[in-house]
Amino acid sequence: MSEVQNNLGEKFKETIAEAMKTGDFHALNTLVTDTVNDALREADFQANLSREATEKKVWNSRRRLAG
């Protein structure tokens, strides 16, 4: 498990415990929202990297065939 995952897990544990103790779930809602948004941004970034790599391979293949 990466340090980021471990830290995120600990942050969730702390935030959930605090929410259960106080009844205020605003911080937990914010943490979940931020975590999901970060994951979606990372997925989009990785998809774009993959798409760019594929486009480069196609472009290079076409160039080799034309040349």
Side-chain angles (χ1 to χ4, degrees):
M1 180 181 298
S2 76
E3 186 175 334
V4 170
Q5 289 171 321
N6 190 40
N7 289 340
L8 187 57
E10 289 300 316
K11 182 67 175 167
F12 266 97
K13 285 180 191 176
E14 293 167 5
T15 304
I16 290 168
E18 186 65 23
M20 297 300 291
K21 184 168 58 172
T22 65
D24 181 2
F25 289 82
H26 179 75
L28 180 58
N29 182 44
T30 300
L31 179 59
V32 169
T33 299
D34 291 347
T35 302
V36 169
N37 286 335
D38 288 346
L40 290 173
R41 275 191 294 275
E42 181 64 23
D44 186 50
F45 176 76
Q46 293 298 327
N48 284 332
L49 285 179
S50 178
R51 179 186 48 79
E52 289 170 3
T54 300
E55 287 173 354
K56 184 177 181 181
K57 287 177 186 177
V58 169
W59 186 82
N60 286 336
S61 293
R62 287 181 181 165
R63 202 170 100 194
R64 278 193 299 271
L65 290 173

